[in-house]
Amino acid sequence: MAKLPIEGQRNILITSALPYVNNVPHLGNLIGSVLSADVFARYCRLRGYNAVYICGTDEYGTATETKAMEENCTPKEICDKYHAIHKEVYEWFNISFDKFGRTSTPQQTEVCQAIFKKLMENNWLSENSMQQLYCDTCKRFLADRLVEGTCPKEGCDYQSARGDQCEKCSKLLNPTELKDPRCKVCQTTPRIRDTNHLFLELPLLKDKLEEYIKKMSEAGSWSQNAIQATNAWLKEGLKSRCITRDLKWGVPVPHEGFSDKVFYVWFDAPIGYVSITSCYTPEWEKWWKNPENVELYQFMGKDNVPFHTVMFPSTLLGTDENWTLMKTISVTEYLNYEAGKFSKSKGIGVFGNDAKDTNIPVEVWRYYLLTNRPELSDTLFTWADLQAKLNSELLNNLGNFINRVLSFVAKPPGQGYGSIIPQPSDADPDPLKHEPTNKLVGEIVKFVGQYVEAMEKVKLKSGLKAAMSISSEGNGYLQESQFWKLYKEDPLSCSLVIRTSTGLVYLLACLLEPFMPSFSLEVLKQLNFPPETPISLEKGDIDRVSRPWEILPAGHKIGTPEPLFKELKEEEVEFFRNKFAGSQADRIVRAEAEAEKVAEQLKKTKVSDSSGKKQRPAKPASESKVKATAEPQISITRLDIRVGLITSAKKHPDADSLYVEEIDVGEGQTRTVVSGLVKYIPLEEMQNRKVCVLCNLKPAAMRGIKSQAMVLAASDSEHTKVELVDPPKSACVGERVTFPGFNGEPDDVLNPKKKVWETLQVDLNTNTELVARYKDIPFTTSAGVCTVSSIASGSIRAVKARSARSTARSSSLNHQAPGAVVLSPPLLVSVCHCYKFRSSFLLGSHRPPPHCHTHFELRNQRGEKNMYKKKKEADRGGPSRGQTDTKDEEMDFKSILKDIELFSSSHMTWKERKEVENRKVVALGGKPPKKQRLPLSVARPMMKKQKEREQKMLEERLILGRFGGKSGGSAKRSIGRRKPEDRVLKTSEGHFRNGVLDVKHLLHSAPSRESAAPPSRESDFGMHFGTTGKKKGKKSQGKKGGGRKRR
């Protein structure tokens, strides 16, 4: 039975922009109007408002004729086909229209012509001759959308602008204004001919229109983008707008001399709202001519604004009848797709039927589109973002809370409540005196208030955020109350917690019903309520929010709890990204090519043997053995990162720069962790705070105290500021931090030799929204994502504690400008090939630069050598260390510098460091003179003079500075205390004293590329630092330093 306005109630008429029937609707169309209007309509019904939601397909106009020509059928057949497709898509998306109609109906003709006659009687229309493009090839006047050309707006110059509007800048056009126009059918250039048309005199209606806009934009709280678009039209000056077209498919014009013309689609399309309502009820005027009792809300994309705030109101005002004019308009910007824009005409993006074919549940699609609703600016659809929001927000937050509560209730007595919501008793604690419950109620009341306020103002995104915050509070409440302990230790308090939590489950089903109706139905089913159970958010229901333990009746038996959401995996995301890349035409071509490939493979498939098994070639035994012992792939899942709670923190008794923390990581007993955070974080801020803990590193003794884990912290690009990575306050202590799309069990203990942590650490970072991430995947817990306080675009690492000696030594280098190697002045320059960054220093390459086989051993800020140990020459089948190959090769040093870039790694961002990897570089150490400072940005061309100066310096000599390092023993460290003339550099050719090395000689003596054995993975450098002189009672320097044994 059709609904009619009810006196004394709030009557709301809701419309969404009528989708055109020239293609399947894509996700941008859905969120722009239809889905957004559906959320508001469902909310109005929850609040008890008398709401009607009207929509339908826009079927008249040029686009339909064009599509009919493309598919070689009549416009009526095109409309029938695509109306059915639209209806099916919207039904799958659970769009709750009260009436979904169409504009190609007799009612449309009747209402449209009646409005036209009123305008004619009131002299708001004029007849004028106008110039229009005529195609001699097609023998017809070309309507707006049958013409394409270059946009005339200065600065736009879009070459595929339509005759009625430019898609790029949204400027409304006449076809004759286009530069280089062409017929869309035959691509020939049309000519201009005169033709008669009818015009709506907007300038004469300006006063009435401006009065309406001023009044309603304030009363209806129009969105800012709607106000801006409307004011732009008014500022430009209203012009007479043509309302007729030389077409056959449309509403006939009931005027003498115009029998061969129809109404322009933007004159008759908004009237479709009225005609579709007349199809819904013959008493349609009670909705459309009743402004005293009806509020009109309209939803659309930003390109439709002028037609709803200027054209349509002017049309209705011109009739001098008591029309219900739009009170509130909700406008969205564009939802873009991956790297481009959604486009129906070009077939780019994910379309309604595509979403259905992915088998991703409809509630996930609705949730993602609504959290990504482009209310204030354009937003971007990406598959990775869809995966992150599903896995972290729906699965780990909302789904986790509901499943924890209902699963506990469903456990048998002795472990749970046997599926019965527990009964209260007189001995129960007062809920308002139970601290966790009282605190929860305050937060819930606040968030429900925010939800209602946002939804009343049609701020759907904010409303959804407020509802999801209640789920996060629920998770925190469960964690704080520790109901699993209360069940045995304090049954009465546990009963209160469970009644309150099940009340929150029902409340979430109510609040989220406008956004995810299928989700709410499933929750009701698990609560054992019939599907037809009315969900309400009327005043009495909202009042009960302050008493959530009373929302569900005690003694009610719930249904069977089941997981509400399923994880979306990385391989699925990659599959969808590839599947929906390009246009629809491209996808068809790919699908056909894939089908041909499969058919070809089937032809080549071997016939099975007599046992019915396919014959396969036997694998060599060695191959099977290698596969069985293969090292697991380095993946973020190998890290055991958990949410930890620092139960106590104090300063290390033997080190001023170290803290000793006791951290609860959910194992029953705390772990001792030593970290060097004293200079960054005050001791009082370390107490009783949640942190992210890397738990599977090998324990190490730090000044007499064994550290059993490491806390994760973020640092800025200069490493002057450090902040701990904070899990959500309601995150469970001991739960593992996950990365959506990555599945697997962590290693028990990471093998230090495999450098798993070091390899993964370079991809840990924070984004501009302060979210901790691995690449672009957030650190995720059941209560949400992990964040930092203020460091944006920083790097994340485990906070290491170093020995006092190394700490002091590295601190002396803090004020140096670190390059690839940090040594004290004078300048050290070395040629290397960068393959990875570690902190702010470089490590050498697995393979040497293409022109050179002799290098320096690169060292980090503490003077330690590169992380890969050298192997003995015998292991790599070459000559022993310290000997040279007999074959030499002449080399020009300038050829080495060719294509090699100079840079400083200080102040480099994480992204810039990644860009440097796998490139030839010149590594600088120490603090160069001011005149020799290099640009900080990567790959920036050097100034000519700088390049000449550096080349000359490298050709003449390498100046070696003193250095220190833990590795190499005291003999190596003593080199810094020796006299300059005693400083030496060991090479395959011998010793070069006085800190000066003839580079040309060095290169000349380098082994040839043909004769030299390729370095092993561990053997990165053929040249190293050493020292002369003897050290009694000590092993040779060569064992640690990588050089030949000292004599």
Side-chain angles (χ1 to χ4, degrees):
M1 182 178 176
K3 289 182 279 187
L4 294 174
I6 301 172
E7 194 76 28
Q9 287 195 20
R10 191 174 177 190
N11 303 295
I12 298 180
L13 177 60
I14 302 166
T15 71
S16 60
L18 306 182
Y20 216 86
V21 288
N22 62 335
N23 209 327
V24 182
H26 56 60
L27 300 185
N29 302 137
L30 280 158
I31 190 58
S33 56
V34 174
L35 179 56
S36 297
D38 178 65
V39 172
F40 185 68
R42 288 177 178 275
Y43 166 77
C44 290
R45 296 177 194 127
L46 280 181
R47 294 303 309 278
Y49 306 151
N50 184 34
V52 170
Y53 179 17
I54 300 295
C55 189
T57 46
D58 181 8
E59 301 187 351
Y60 284 140
T62 312
T64 306
E65 285 196 5
T66 305
K67 192 70 175 179
M69 285 188 285
E70 289 177 5
E71 299 195 12
N72 196 26
C73 59
T74 66
K76 180 68 168 62
E77 290 170 337
I78 282 290
C79 292
D80 292 342
K81 171 185 174 180
Y82 282 100
H83 176 79
I85 291 174
H86 275 256
K87 193 171 182 180
E88 182 182 354
V89 168
Y90 300 141
E91 285 175 355
W92 187 80
F93 271 93
N94 289 327
I95 308 297
S96 59
F97 303 113
D98 287 280
K99 177 64 179 179
F100 183 72
R102 50 200 306 186
T103 59
S104 59
T105 61
Q107 289 89 341
Q108 173 75 0
T109 301
E110 180 184 345
V111 176
C112 192
Q113 290 181 346
I115 290 175
F116 166 76
K117 290 174 182 178
K118 282 287 184 181
L119 291 171
M120 186 64 79
E121 289 172 11
N122 296 334
N123 297 317
W124 298 116
L125 298 178
S126 63
E127 181 178 338
N128 284 305
S129 161
M130 66 177 289
Q131 291 183 325
Q132 193 170 341
L133 296 176
Y134 182 86
C135 179
D136 291 308
T137 304
C138 299
K139 304 294 182 186
R140 60 186 294 180
F141 281 102
L142 298 180
D144 300 353
R145 295 204 174 197
L146 286 177
V147 184
E148 284 185 344
T150 303
C151 178
K153 184 178 179 179
E154 186 176 352
C156 179
D157 297 325
Y158 182 53
Q159 295 184 351
S160 297
R162 300 194 309 259
D164 61 341
Q165 188 175 24
C166 175
E167 278 187 329
K168 183 179 178 182
C169 68
S170 300
K171 179 179 174 61
L172 296 177
L173 302 169
N174 284 317
T176 53
E177 295 175 335
L178 290 173
K179 300 176 185 177
D180 304 320
R182 56 189 179 274
C183 173
K184 194 172 180 180
V185 179
C186 64
Q187 297 299 309
T188 60
T189 302
R191 62 187 177 91
I192 297 177
R193 276 181 54 176
D194 290 338
T195 181
N196 291 333
H197 284 290
L198 293 169
F199 291 78
L200 177 63
E201 293 296 336
L202 290 178
L204 301 179
L205 290 162
K206 180 180 178 183
D207 293 340
K208 286 186 175 184
L209 179 65
E210 287 184 340
E211 181 184 353
Y212 156 74
I213 291 172
K214 183 178 180 181
K215 177 183 176 183
M216 284 302 186
S217 61
E218 295 177 1
S221 301
W222 288 10
S223 57
Q224 196 59 38
N225 45 10
I227 294 173
Q228 290 173 351
T230 304
N231 288 340
W233 258 55
L234 297 176
K235 186 177 180 180
E236 191 177 321
L238 296 176
K239 301 174 183 177
S240 300
R241 298 294 299 185
C242 182
I243 65 168
T244 56
R245 283 293 181 267
D246 290 291
L247 292 172
K248 296 178 180 178
W249 181 246
V251 175
V253 179
H255 188 65
E256 186 178 350
F258 285 80
S259 58
D260 59 340
K261 301 181 190 295
V262 298
F263 285 116
Y264 173 41
V265 67
W266 274 115
F267 176 78
D268 92 291
I271 296 173
Y273 300 131
V274 182
S275 71
I276 293 171
T277 309
S278 73
C279 295
Y280 171 64
T281 173
E283 299 180 85
W284 61 270
E285 291 186 351
K286 289 185 178 181
W287 285 107
W288 281 100
K289 293 185 179 181
N290 187 7
E292 296 79 16
N293 295 313
V294 176
E295 302 171 54
L296 175 59
Y297 284 72
Q298 296 194 293
F299 292 77
M300 68 207 66
K302 64 180 178 181
D303 53 338
N304 286 336
V305 170
F307 303 103
H308 289 78
T309 61
V310 177
M311 294 284 286
F312 187 42
S314 298
T315 301
L316 299 180
L317 289 168
T319 63
D320 289 339
E321 294 181 331
N322 193 30
W323 287 95
T324 300
L325 298 177
M326 177 181 64
K327 176 186 176 182
T328 300
I329 180 173
S330 179
V331 177
T332 59
E333 302 291 315
Y334 292 134
L335 175 69
N336 295 321
Y337 179 70
E338 292 282 350
K341 290 178 66 175
F342 278 97
S343 173
K344 281 200 300 182
S345 58
K346 297 176 182 177
I348 294 174
V350 180
F351 288 74
N353 52 349
D354 296 332
K356 182 180 178 181
D357 293 341
T358 61
N359 291 324
I360 297 174
V362 64
E363 60 265 25
V364 175
W365 284 108
R366 285 181 63 115
Y367 177 82
Y368 178 70
L369 291 174
L370 290 161
T371 56
N372 214 17
R373 186 173 187 252
E375 293 181 354
L376 300 176
S377 60
D378 292 356
T379 56
L380 184 66
F381 172 98
T382 67
W383 288 101
D385 190 34
L386 171 66
Q387 177 196 30
K389 282 188 167 57
L390 166 56
N391 293 350
S392 63
E393 297 174 19
L394 292 179
L395 178 63
N396 293 340
N397 179 8
L398 179 64
N400 178 66
F401 170 68
I402 293 174
N403 194 255
R404 285 180 78 187
V405 173
L406 299 187
S407 296
F408 189 77
V409 175
K411 287 181 179 180
Q415 299 177 24
Y417 293 95
S419 298
I420 305 295
I421 295 177
Q423 294 278 359
S425 69
D426 296 335
D428 281 355
D430 183 350
L432 298 181
K433 292 182 180 179
H434 183 252
E435 187 178 346
T437 304
N438 186 41
K439 178 183 172 183
L440 173 74
V441 168
E443 292 298 311
I444 298 305
V445 169
K446 180 184 75 172
F447 284 126
V448 170
Q450 291 176 359
Y451 172 88
V452 172
E453 182 182 2
M455 297 299 285
E456 290 291 336
K457 294 180 179 179
V458 202
K459 295 182 178 179
L460 309 182
K461 206 170 177 179
S462 299
L464 178 55
K465 183 178 179 181
M468 291 297 290
S469 297
I470 294 175
S471 174
S472 298
E473 289 296 326
N475 274 310
Y477 176 62
L478 293 179
Q479 196 62 31
E480 183 179 0
S481 62
Q482 295 188 325
F483 63 93
W484 59 94
K485 291 184 180 179
L486 291 179
Y487 185 75
K488 292 183 179 180
E489 298 172 1
D490 189 353
L492 296 178
S493 294
C494 186
S495 171
L496 172 62
V497 170
I498 294 302
R499 291 201 309 275
T500 302
S501 299
T502 52
L504 287 190
V505 170
Y506 182 82
L507 176 62
L508 284 168
C510 295
L511 296 177
L512 292 172
E513 194 276 341
F515 302 94
M516 298 183 288
S518 56
F519 158 82
S520 296
L521 284 174
E522 179 60 28
V523 173
L524 288 178
K525 176 185 173 185
Q526 295 189 23
L527 287 172
N528 198 25
F529 289 111
E532 61 274 9
T533 301
I535 295 180
S536 173
L537 282 177
E538 297 184 38
K539 189 177 185 306
D541 301 295
I542 291 180
D543 290 342
R544 285 198 298 162
V545 168
S546 60
R547 303 183 306 279
W549 52 88
E550 296 178 1
I551 291 179
L552 291 181
H556 174 76
K557 184 174 182 179
I558 69 168
T560 304
E562 293 178 359
L564 292 163
F565 301 100
K566 181 184 175 184
E567 182 183 20
L568 186 61
K569 298 182 179 178
E570 188 68 32
E571 53 268 25
E572 295 175 290
V573 170
E574 193 61 32
F575 171 77
F576 292 137
R577 186 184 288 116
N578 294 331
K579 180 178 179 180
F580 298 112
S583 67
Q584 289 175 316
D586 296 335
R587 297 171 201 170
I588 293 172
V589 172
R590 286 201 303 268
E592 291 175 349
E594 189 66 26
E596 291 178 4
K597 185 178 178 181
V598 171
E600 195 66 28
Q601 288 176 342
L602 288 174
K603 290 179 182 177
K604 297 178 180 179
T605 302
K606 292 185 178 181
V607 181
S608 59
D609 60 19
S610 57
S611 64
K613 296 182 179 179
K614 292 182 181 178
Q615 298 177 2
R616 295 183 181 181
K619 289 185 178 180
S622 59
E623 185 180 335
S624 301
K625 185 176 181 180
V626 169
K627 186 175 181 180
T629 59
E631 171 69 17
Q633 182 181 3
I634 293 182
S635 166
I636 193 66
T637 58
R638 295 180 64 178
L639 302 183
D640 185 8
I641 302 175
R642 301 186 212 166
V643 176
L645 176 66
I646 300 177
T647 58
S648 70
K650 60 184 179 181
K651 287 192 175 181
H652 196 295
D654 297 324
D656 294 337
S657 62
L658 305 180
Y659 283 135
V660 179
E661 303 113 20
E662 294 296 326
I663 304 181
D664 180 5
V665 291
E667 296 174 333
Q669 59 184 12
T670 60
R671 290 197 186 198
T672 301
V673 177
V674 181
S675 57
L677 290 169
V678 170
K679 63 182 291 187
Y680 301 108
I681 302 175
L683 182 60
E684 56 270 18
E685 293 183 16
M686 294 291 293
Q687 308 294 341
N688 297 313
R689 71 180 292 175
K690 288 182 179 177
V691 291
C692 289
V693 186
L694 181 59
C695 294
N696 59 342
L697 287 175
K698 187 177 180 180
M702 301 294 177
R703 298 301 294 265
I705 297 178
K706 182 170 285 189
S707 181
Q708 298 170 319
M710 287 187 180
V711 294
L712 298 187
S715 64
D716 59 10
S717 58
E718 298 178 6
H719 311 294
T720 58
K721 185 177 181 182
V722 174
E723 295 174 351
L724 289 173
V725 177
D726 297 319
K729 292 181 180 179
S730 56
C732 305
V733 173
E735 74 166 296
R736 188 181 174 198
V737 176
T738 59
F739 300 86
F742 291 88
N743 299 308
E745 293 300 317
D747 293 6
D748 292 333
V749 177
L750 294 175
N751 186 343
K753 294 182 179 180
K754 302 302 180 182
K755 303 298 177 184
V756 176
W757 163 248
E758 289 81 358
T759 303
L760 296 170
Q761 184 270 320
V762 294
D763 291 322
L764 302 181
N765 64 90
T766 62
N767 64 8
T768 54
E769 297 177 355
L770 308 181
V771 175
R773 309 184 306 172
Y774 167 67
K775 297 182 177 178
D776 58 352
I777 306 300
F779 283 48
T780 306
T781 70
S782 61
V785 298
C786 302
T787 58
V788 294
S789 299
S790 62
I791 297 177
S793 303
S795 56
I796 294 176
R797 63 201 65 207
V799 182
K800 296 181 179 180
R802 295 176 291 176
S803 67
R805 181 178 296 173
S806 64
T807 303
R809 183 165 52 248
S810 63
S811 65
S812 68
L813 301 173
N814 282 344
H815 300 292
Q816 296 177 357
V821 187
V822 180
L823 301 174
S824 57
L827 182 67
L828 171 72
V829 182
S830 59
V831 179
C832 66
H833 188 270
C834 169
Y835 77 94
K836 279 288 181 187
F837 259 96
R838 293 289 183 272
S839 183
S840 61
F841 59 89
L842 283 169
L843 297 177
S845 63
H846 296 314
R847 298 182 183 223
H851 303 291
C852 180
H853 285 282
T854 307
H855 319 282
F856 290 104
E857 176 180 354
L858 295 182
R859 295 173 179 269
N860 65 16
Q861 293 189 10
R862 299 192 297 278
E864 295 170 349
K865 66 177 183 178
N866 56 293
M867 54 184 283
Y868 290 96
K869 295 181 180 178
K870 291 175 177 280
K871 278 189 176 180
K872 293 181 180 180
E873 288 293 334
D875 294 338
R876 61 187 184 192
S880 62
R881 192 175 283 114
Q883 298 178 358
T884 59
D885 196 273
T886 54
K887 187 175 181 180
D888 293 334
E889 181 182 24
E890 284 280 355
M891 291 189 192
D892 179 10
F893 190 81
K894 289 185 178 181
S895 68
I896 301 175
L897 291 179
K898 195 179 192 179
D899 298 325
I900 293 180
E901 300 178 60
L902 282 85
F903 68 95
S904 168
S905 67
S906 62
H907 306 91
M908 289 175 62
T909 66
W910 172 78
K911 286 187 178 179
E912 288 173 333
R913 294 178 184 183
K914 293 295 289 181
E915 291 173 0
V916 174
E917 292 181 7
N918 296 317
R919 291 162 70 179
K920 289 181 290 183
V921 295
V922 172
L924 301 177
K927 187 173 183 179
K930 286 186 178 179
K931 291 183 180 180
Q932 293 184 358
R933 286 192 182 278
L934 303 173
L936 297 178
S937 59
V938 182
R940 186 178 296 171
M942 288 182 54
M943 294 174 60
K944 185 176 180 181
K945 290 184 179 180
Q946 285 179 308
K947 190 169 184 179
E948 290 175 354
R949 186 188 306 120
E950 300 295 342
Q951 286 181 353
K952 184 177 180 181
M953 179 183 67
L954 290 171
E955 287 182 44
E956 292 177 353
R957 62 182 180 174
L958 292 178
I959 305 175
L960 305 179
R962 67 179 179 82
F963 69 98
K966 183 177 178 182
S967 59
S970 58
K972 179 178 288 186
R973 288 197 296 272
S974 67
I975 189 171
R977 297 191 293 271
R978 291 180 178 273
K979 296 178 182 179
E981 58 269 18
D982 290 331
R983 298 178 191 164
V984 300
L985 178 70
K986 279 188 178 181
T987 69
S988 54
E989 280 296 297
H991 297 177
F992 291 79
R993 295 184 179 276
N994 301 325
V996 178
L997 173 69
D998 186 343
V999 177
K1000 292 181 179 179
H1001 178 81
L1002 169 66
L1003 295 173
H1004 179 74
S1005 64
S1008 67
R1009 298 180 67 180
E1010 291 78 5
S1011 61
S1016 67
R1017 183 177 180 85
E1018 289 78 5
S1019 179
D1020 296 327
F1021 301 96
M1023 181 167 124
H1024 57 277
F1025 292 109
T1027 180
T1028 58
K1030 299 178 181 179
K1031 191 79 173 178
K1032 293 183 179 181
K1034 296 286 183 181
K1035 292 184 179 180
S1036 70
Q1037 177 73 6
K1039 186 170 183 179
K1040 279 194 173 183
R1044 88 166 66 163
K1045 190 173 182 179
R1046 281 197 305 279
R1047 299 182 182 87

